[in-house]
Amino acid sequence: PADQLAKLTTPFFRGDSGRTATNSTGLGLAIVEQTVARMGGVFELSNANSGGLCANLLLQRANGEPV
């Protein structure tokens, strides 16, 4: 849901408990966001038109040029 989108990269946030797997720790997207940031990239989440989640990663090449 749109109201939870900003919280999805918060460590241990598991979203709507009715739609979340019980074995989830809520760390996956937080780890991705931190890893991408340390690499000088950008990680963005948005609502997909189909009702799902869209995740975008923007990373740079080793020479500093965008991919």
Side-chain angles (χ1 to χ4, degrees):
D3 61 325
Q4 296 182 8
L5 190 61
K7 299 175 188 175
L8 290 177
T9 56
T10 302
F12 303 107
F13 180 76
R14 295 179 56 196
D16 183 3
S17 61
R19 298 176 358 164
T20 304
T22 57
N23 60 356
S24 169
T25 61
L27 289 174
L29 293 175
I31 292 169
V32 171
E33 182 181 53
Q34 290 175 11
T35 302
V36 170
R38 287 181 181 151
M39 296 172 67
V42 177
F43 179 61
E44 298 175 332
L45 297 172
S46 61
N47 288 313
N49 293 336
S50 63
L53 179 69
C54 182
N56 293 301
L57 296 170
L58 178 60
L59 300 173
Q60 294 184 349
R61 296 176 192 247
N63 62 6
E65 294 180 19
V67 175

